[in-house]
Amino acid sequence: MGAAETTRTRRRAIPWLLLALWIGVLALASPFASKLAGVQHNRATDYLPASADSTQVAKIQNRLPGGERTELVLVYHRDSGLTAADRATAARQIATIGRQHELTGTPQAVPSRDGTALMYPVTSDEPGTDEKKRDALVDDVRRVAHDQDGLTVQVGGPSAMATDAAGVYGSLGGPLLYTTVAVVAVLLVLIYRSPLLWLVPLVVAGVADFLSMGVAYGLNEAFGTTVTGQSQGVMTILVFGAGTDYALLLISRYREELRRHERPYDAMRAALRGCGPAVLASSGTVAAGLLCLLAADLNSSRGMGPLGTVGVLCALAAMLTLLPALLVLLGRRVFWPLVPAYGSTPTARRSLFGAMGSSAGRRPLTVLASGAVLLGALALGALNLPGTVKQQDAFVDKPESVAALETLARAYPEQSAQPIDVITPAGRADATLATVRATHGVASARPGRTGAGWTEISVIASAPPQSAAETATIKELRHELTGSYVGGPSAQQIDLEDTNARDRTVVIPIVLVSVLLILIALLRSLVAPLILVAAVIAVWGAALGIGGLVFGPLLGFQGTDPGLGLLSFVFLVALGVDYGIFLMHRMREESLNGAPPAAAALTALRTTGGVIASAGLVLAATFAVLTNMGLVQLVELGFVIAVGVLLDTFLVRTYLVTSASVALGRKVWWPGRLSRTPDPAPPDPAPPARAPEPVS
């Protein structure tokens, strides 16, 4: 066998070896991937800031006798006033609940002043820290406490609200995955116009998602990484969104190379050499940006960093190994009916992005200034963003726990129905209780469990939950009670807001520096990275501004999640720079091949614009899937990122970055070698034709 035949045999074997390798990897990951849902937690401590008072309260409560308590409030209400039969019904249902479950003490009825409602605080140590047992208890109480003969019965309280939130998060897995797959499938069919090609990257993305679940479970087991419904959902979005982006770029370049190379294997090698560095750099930038979330103090944000990074890296590995192997094995026929023939020339068509680039190239400064003004005007809408969302406003559709809270607010306007938890050293319990009762805004306080060196005090404020007055009471308690911790649902919201403000000041600079350093190393320039970073910051501000014009006025949201600013910034900067790398990498490639600066910029836009637009549409659509979920924080996050990606794709990359590159010329590569390379000399004009000499 000759050397040439040996080489061809080896090349034919490589795709099959890669396919076999992935089958083995999936076999190893399968037992772990199926366990990820089992380690997902959506307790308060999984979202709270690590160092906050409310987090310490929740941790100490878990160590007290009975562990984490299930706290419920049963509300019996009749608009015309409760009857004797209503009170008897309430007492009978409460007695049934007491017989069926281990309650802490006997629930006592608290009547409203207007006689329309009865409130029964119900507490149980039965579930402990087991979320499934807590949810089962809440569901069982709701089965017993039901409406009867015009009497409205609602089960609320912190544990009921946690159960309702867990129900929303629990429903994310299936619907989120199926909706994401359906959206990506439709877009790929429209992009490729092929009955087979769209299926290949979609299957590979599914494989990457399965692998990411196994790796995420391994991280949880090895390092205790927090896994929540939110972080797992975002990981799935990133696998399909970013993975499909990488597939689009690779397949586009592979199609080009198939016209230049006879064998698919050679065409794929050329495609990987051409776009592989850009894909590696872009995925590295996204991963670095997400890992910066490890500097956050908020548990949910810090846990999202590793899971998001796992999703991106699994998508990268699959798209650079499994996808090429499948495409090579399927050959040219995978592109049917638009099969790129060897030696053929693609049909010349008027390019939308070529036309857009030409308009930007003719008046670059005008286009740049107009775009900057537009983004600045949109960013002003952020001033209209509603304040921090309250717990009862965090659901898109009102669950029973929120309805109960609203009923309590109407029937008991003189006091809160949501306890504030104070944890104090057992030896100082009496003094702490006296200080609490003397604090302005406290309606009542009573000692609770004692154990592990701590005493629990349940405090009821005189102001409604999460009002300015209750917030002032909580802050005064924290100021007066040195050595004690103040927690509970309202205190948790205060800590979430304060910690997110702290995280923004810490994480955002780290993200900017990390991304900037990667871009400088990749592009061998300082100016080009600064342009890309400035562009994504402008996109972030404009996307938040559009959110301010939509969330309250159009969607009726009463607040925004405290983590919206930080998370949207990290994702938009990392993913936005992703597209900037695709464009700038091709621009640099054209410049190295001798193209003048303006021609390099316009050629890069013309050749990558379609791919970037397709990738942007897919990524925006995958994040838009979150707007169909049942929690305000997910809807807001999905909306801002989807809008930001679209702005980045169709305005910033096509017009502003291109215009800036044309206006700066070779200065865009300063201080790198390309900035000092002279422009190629224009061709000599043809000499004028000589007039024929007269014939003598």
Side-chain angles (χ1 to χ4, degrees):
M1 181 183 294
E5 184 62 27
T6 301
T7 301
R8 284 195 294 271
T9 302
R10 187 184 301 117
R11 289 178 176 179
R12 284 194 295 268
I14 289 177
W16 289 107
L17 290 175
L18 286 173
L19 186 59
L21 176 64
W22 271 98
I23 293 174
V25 167
L26 291 181
L28 291 174
S30 180
F32 305 107
S34 59
K35 296 179 180 179
L36 183 62
V39 299
Q40 181 189 122
H41 294 289
N42 295 293
R43 297 172 301 179
T45 50
D46 298 314
Y47 286 84
L48 290 175
S51 60
D53 260 29
S54 55
T55 309
Q56 303 309 314
V57 168
K59 289 180 178 179
I60 294 172
Q61 285 176 330
N62 290 343
R63 300 201 301 267
L64 292 177
E68 183 179 341
R69 279 189 166 178
T70 299
E71 297 179 337
L72 304 173
V73 178
L74 276 65
V75 188
Y76 294 85
H77 179 264
R78 188 186 291 271
D79 289 335
S80 59
L82 293 174
T83 65
D86 292 338
R87 294 184 178 88
T89 297
R92 186 168 58 253
Q93 291 184 355
I94 293 296
T96 301
I97 294 170
R99 288 193 300 270
Q100 295 178 352
H101 298 282
E102 300 174 7
L103 303 184
T104 306
T106 303
Q108 300 297 319
V110 181
S112 64
R113 289 181 179 178
D114 60 6
T116 63
L118 274 180
M119 172 176 66
Y120 278 91
V122 174
T123 306
S124 174
D125 296 335
E126 185 178 286
T129 59
D130 192 317
E131 293 178 58
K132 293 182 179 179
K133 290 183 178 179
R134 177 204 64 197
D135 297 341
L137 173 60
V138 173
D139 292 340
D140 191 57
V141 169
R142 283 175 169 167
R143 280 192 294 270
V144 174
H146 57 272
D147 296 354
Q148 189 169 331
D149 299 328
L151 174 67
T152 300
V153 186
Q154 297 166 327
V155 179
S159 297
M161 191 171 291
T163 293
D164 290 337
V168 175
Y169 279 120
S171 67
L172 287 181
L176 180 66
L177 177 62
Y178 304 146
T179 307
T180 302
V181 170
V183 167
V184 173
V186 169
L187 289 174
L188 288 177
V189 169
L190 295 176
I191 291 168
Y192 288 134
R193 292 171 291 170
S194 167
L196 177 61
L197 181 58
W198 65 274
L199 190 58
V200 181
L202 192 63
V203 168
V204 174
V207 169
D209 185 52
F210 189 78
L211 175 62
S212 69
M213 290 191 291
V215 176
Y217 176 79
L219 285 178
N220 175 267
E221 288 294 298
F223 304 104
T225 306
T226 301
V227 180
T228 64
Q230 183 185 45
S231 60
Q232 186 176 344
V234 169
M235 182 180 73
T236 295
I237 292 286
L238 282 172
V239 169
F240 280 90
T244 305
D245 284 1
Y246 304 149
L248 287 168
L249 188 67
L250 176 64
I251 292 174
S252 175
R253 191 64 178 259
Y254 178 53
R255 189 197 295 266
E256 290 182 30
E257 299 299 337
L258 281 173
R259 301 182 188 276
R260 304 188 185 105
H261 298 83
E262 183 177 1
R263 294 184 178 86
Y265 180 89
D266 297 330
M268 182 57 73
R269 285 186 62 188
L272 288 171
R273 283 198 302 267
C275 69
V279 172
L280 287 170
S282 61
S283 60
T285 304
V286 176
L290 292 173
L291 284 177
C292 292
L293 284 172
L294 288 172
D297 190 38
L298 197 66
N299 280 342
S300 55
S301 297
R302 192 171 62 251
M304 190 177 294
L307 259 67
T309 302
V310 164
V312 170
L313 295 183
C314 287
L316 171 71
M319 294 304 170
L320 289 187
T321 56
L322 180 58
L323 177 64
L326 291 176
L327 291 174
V328 169
L329 290 174
L330 292 171
R332 297 176 186 270
R333 59 184 176 274
V334 74
F335 289 93
W336 185 87
L338 304 175
V339 179
Y342 171 58
S344 65
T345 302
T347 304
R349 293 183 297 176
R350 179 175 174 80
S351 169
L352 171 63
F353 292 94
M356 296 170 75
S358 298
S359 64
R362 286 193 298 270
R363 298 182 180 83
L365 294 178
T366 302
V367 171
L368 192 60
S370 301
V373 170
L374 175 60
L375 291 176
L378 290 174
L380 293 176
L383 300 175
N384 195 47
L385 283 170
T388 302
V389 65
K390 297 180 180 179
Q391 284 185 320
Q392 63 264 32
D393 298 324
F395 298 88
V396 176
D397 297 319
K398 186 188 302 181
E400 183 179 340
S401 58
V402 172
L405 194 62
E406 293 176 348
T407 301
L408 288 169
R410 292 191 301 269
Y412 300 84
E414 72 281 358
Q415 71 174 51
S416 172
Q418 185 167 272
I420 301 168
D421 298 324
V422 175
I423 296 291
T424 189
R428 297 166 50 186
D430 293 340
T432 300
L433 183 60
T435 302
V436 169
R437 286 172 173 168
T439 301
H440 177 73
V442 172
S444 65
R446 58 181 178 83
R449 294 174 294 174
T450 299
W454 298 93
T455 295
E456 181 183 51
I457 298 175
S458 181
V459 181
I460 298 296
S462 57
Q466 298 182 38
S467 62
E470 189 203 39
T471 298
T473 299
I474 292 172
K475 290 183 177 180
E476 187 172 349
L477 285 171
R478 286 178 168 176
H479 177 72
E480 296 293 334
L481 300 177
T482 305
S484 301
Y485 300 109
V486 180
S490 296
Q492 291 168 7
Q493 287 299 105
I494 296 173
D495 292 337
L496 285 174
E497 189 171 358
D498 292 344
T499 305
N500 272 292
R502 173 263 177 199
D503 286 350
R504 285 194 297 270
T505 62
V506 172
V507 176
I508 286 178
I510 295 176
V511 172
L512 289 176
V513 171
S514 301
V515 170
L516 192 60
L517 291 176
I518 293 175
L519 290 176
I520 291 172
L522 173 69
L523 299 176
R524 312 290 198 276
S525 165
L526 182 60
V527 175
L530 287 174
I531 292 174
L532 294 180
V533 170
V536 293
I537 292 175
V539 165
W540 173 62
L544 281 178
I546 295 175
L549 301 176
V550 170
F551 293 156
L554 296 183
L555 300 181
F557 293 163
Q558 300 300 311
T560 55
D561 181 67
L564 176 64
L566 175 63
L567 294 180
S568 61
F569 179 86
V570 171
F571 282 110
L572 283 177
V573 168
L575 297 171
V577 167
D578 199 21
Y579 295 144
I581 289 174
F582 293 165
L583 181 66
M584 283 292 189
H585 185 269
R586 188 59 180 259
M587 193 184 304
R588 177 179 171 80
E589 186 179 335
E590 295 295 328
S591 298
L592 288 172
N593 290 334
L602 298 181
T603 300
L605 177 60
R606 186 174 61 252
T607 54
T608 65
V611 178
I612 291 177
S614 301
L617 284 172
V618 170
L619 190 62
T622 53
F623 272 99
V625 171
L626 290 176
T627 62
N628 195 39
M629 300 298 111
L631 290 174
V632 167
Q633 66 185 49
L634 295 180
V635 174
E636 292 175 342
L637 182 64
F639 179 88
V640 169
I641 295 178
V643 168
V645 169
L646 293 177
L647 282 174
D648 188 74
T649 302
F650 294 101
L651 174 62
V652 172
R653 296 290 154 241
T654 50
Y655 278 117
L656 303 192
V657 172
T658 302
S659 298
S661 301
V662 171
L664 289 171
R666 293 202 177 274
K667 294 178 182 177
V668 77
W669 304 114
W670 184 89
R673 178 174 58 85
L674 274 177
S675 65
R676 301 185 298 273
T677 303
D679 291 340
D684 293 333
R690 296 177 58 186
E693 296 182 3
V695 178
S696 58

